[in-house]
Amino acid sequence: MNTLLSESAASGRGDGSQPAGDVITIRGGRPLRGTIEVKGAKNLATKAMVAALLGETVSTLRDVPDISDVAVVRSLLEVHGVTVDADADGTLRLDPKGAKSAAMDLIDAHAGASRIPILFCGPLLHLLGQAFIPDLGGCRIGDRPIDFHLNALRNFGAVVEKLPSGIRLSAPDGLHGANIELPYPSVGATEQVLLTAVRAKGTTELRNAAIEPEIMDLIAVLQKMGAIISYEPNRVIFIEGVDELVGYDHRAIFDRNEVASWACAALATDGDIFVAGAKQQEMLTFLNVFRKAGGWFDVREDGIQFRRAGDLKPVMVETDVHPGFMTDWQQPLIVALTQAEGTSIVHETVYENRLGFTQALNHMGADIVVHAEGLASPDRRVPRRELEQAAVITGPTPLHGADVVVPDLRGGYSYVIAALTAAGESTISNVGIIRRGYEKFFDKLTAVGADFDVVG
Ligand code: EPU
């Protein structure tokens, strides 16, 4: 069976059906122990797959996780005429030679809940002179507008037309290099600029770019394809457009978000988890916070082991762009902080609605107060943003089982950890969302000794 398509069953294609494995019951209160293997990062693999559209020859991407976001991008590439072959070990071969325009309704039908379709714009404009983006999904963690993307594309010479069904873009005269300063170092908008500038005529200068390790890995992919990209330490990236790119052969960077998630699971449940494939360099900020919160870790050649050093301690964290503490890490961390003695504060500065998931944790016995306008804090490192919120977590609070519905990818994972930490039984529905970003999720839960049943 083609493993990289199997998760599409759980992706929720909007047909209203409830995929199998969407509801689980968990009996908590038992430490998670064992080994988890992480593959390539969702947030690189999906972008590198889009980059394959830019090559004249076949691209090979290795360590691709078997998650539904990958399945969505795969089917979007296929409706655009790209041939995709997958091996069971997570190697994808992407052949763009048949690339063609796709009908709007097909794009819409295959886009699922993903936000990735917007990254097809630059490559499709170069290839075909036009692109269409349906209404974008992604996690419900804020407004998540696409204005930076559209403004950047306009700067490259694209014409943007808003239609009731989505957005149509065209570039009748081709795309040219641009001078762009992002209002915020957005990951997606930086990727948009990279994927567009590499084939635009002339040079592009991007200021205030995101510099996450997944972005650096995408730059490495594009360089393998023949792109000329350089960067300065002050978030400035220069791209010299070239006339032709070829396919690449690349192993995706490991999934930092999955590593942080399992590390927090070990912390919350007082377990001991070795995450094979985890690396230290890209996770320095996480590891500092993990240690300050009372975690112990051992960096080995082939991964990192995580457990508690002793009692958990309260911490003050502010989410930020790289090299700061990633927003994707705060949700699982908050679950662990409910077990720390004292008051922790988590300032969410990247998304305006990424603390809503804490309501269900309170329902399970946590004491978390969300300040919708954020909180002043004397020792902040990250400048305050208008949209920010803060969670004040007072612990330790014993958690008890409850019925909860997964709201988004990282929030959903956090509910699972909370249920595993809690005494008694929990029922978690809408679990399919978790498989957007966590490969072989149920197998991994079993591997670390979680006591659960798939009930629906
Ligand atoms: N923003 C705008 N306008 C734009 C684009 C972004 O205002 O045109 C704002 C967003 O609303 C948000 C902030 O900028 O407040 C940051 O958004 P960014 O563009 O950096 O995020 P993204 O590219 O949409 C990616 C990951 C997210 C991750 C963020 C931050 C993917 C597919 N998604 O999102 O991952 O949280 O970067 O690192 O790469 C996840 O994996 O669970 C996830 C949500």
Side-chain angles (χ1 to χ4, degrees), residues 42-44 46-47 69 114-116 118-119 138-139 141-151 182-191 210 212 214-215 255-257 320-322 326-329 331 348-354 385 387 408-411 436-438:
K42 160 176 94 68
N43 292 348
L44 175 277
T46 44
K47 327 298 172 61
D69 268 14
S114 172
R115 257 173 85 78
I116 306 290
I118 192 163
L119 294 179
C139 284
I141 50 183
D143 278 351
R144 306 193 70 187
I146 54 168
D147 50 336
F148 305 164
H149 294 253
L150 296 181
N151 287 339
L182 294 177
Y184 179 78
S186 150
V187 168
T190 300
E191 292 160 342
E212 268 65 9
E214 294 78 15
I215 301 262
D255 197 311
R256 299 183 300 143
N257 292 337
D320 196 8
V321 290
H322 187 76
M326 282 193 78
T327 167
D328 306 279
W329 301 337
Q331 288 155 302
E348 170 55 51
T349 79
V350 179
Y351 290 114
E352 63 270 53
N353 187 21
R354 221 179 189 179
R385 278 187 90 198
L387 53 69
D408 64 72
L409 173 61
R410 308 292 167 198
R436 278 191 44 213
Y438 294 88

Side-chain angles (χ1 to χ4, degrees), residues 187-415:
V187 168
T190 300
E191 292 160 342
Q192 181 75 259
V193 170
L194 288 169
L195 290 166
T196 307
V198 285
R199 285 281 320 275
K201 281 222 168 332
T203 301
T204 295
E205 180 177 331
L206 174 63
R207 292 181 300 284
N208 208 21
I211 52 165
E212 268 65 9
E214 294 78 15
I215 301 262
M216 293 301 144
D217 209 34
L218 181 63
I219 290 177
V221 167
L222 293 167
Q223 188 181 54
K224 284 177 176 172
M225 298 179 79
I228 300 175
I229 304 173
S230 54
Y231 56 87
E232 292 178 353
N234 51 351
R235 295 192 179 278
V236 179
I237 301 181
F238 299 97
I239 306 116
E240 294 174 41
V242 295
D243 289 338
E244 189 185 295
L245 295 169
V246 292
Y248 60 81
D249 186 332
H250 191 77
R251 187 171 298 281
I253 184 175
F254 72 100
D255 197 311
R256 299 183 300 143
N257 292 337
E258 188 170 2
V259 174
S261 302
W262 290 109
C264 291
L267 205 59
T269 65
D270 198 7
D272 189 339
I273 298 180
F274 177 68
V275 185
K279 298 201 171 90
Q280 178 183 18
Q281 286 294 330
E282 293 81 359
M283 302 222 47
L284 293 174
T285 307
F286 175 81
L287 293 172
N288 286 336
V289 171
F290 186 82
R291 178 172 276 160
K292 286 204 244 176
W296 174 96
F297 58 87
D298 184 32
V299 179
R300 299 201 215 138
E301 196 64 36
D302 54 345
I304 306 180
Q305 183 181 357
F306 296 97
R307 59 176 153 82
R308 288 187 186 177
D311 289 342
L312 297 190
K313 299 177 205 143
V315 289
M316 202 278 284
V317 174
E318 48 235 335
T319 63
D320 196 8
V321 290
H322 187 76
F325 191 90
M326 282 193 78
T327 167
D328 306 279
W329 301 337
Q330 58 88 349
Q331 288 155 302
L333 179 73
I334 283 180
V335 178
L337 294 177
T338 65
Q339 303 309 302
E341 170 86 49
T343 303
S344 299
I345 303 179
V346 174
H347 301 269
E348 170 55 51
T349 79
V350 179
Y351 290 114
E352 63 270 53
N353 187 21
R354 221 179 189 179
L355 292 173
F357 81 105
T358 56
Q359 264 184 22
L361 299 183
N362 285 341
H363 189 48
M364 298 175 84
D367 177 355
I368 304 172
V369 179
V370 172
H371 296 261
E373 305 301 322
L375 269 181
S377 179
D379 48 354
R380 291 291 301 273
R381 208 188 112 258
V382 177
R384 213 184 112 67
R385 278 187 90 198
E386 235 167 71
L387 53 69
E388 84 177 46
Q389 294 184 294
V392 177
I393 306 123
T394 306
T397 47
L399 301 183
H400 52 77
D403 292 355
V404 292
V405 182
V406 167
D408 64 72
L409 173 61
R410 308 292 167 198
Y413 180 93
S414 306
Y415 288 178

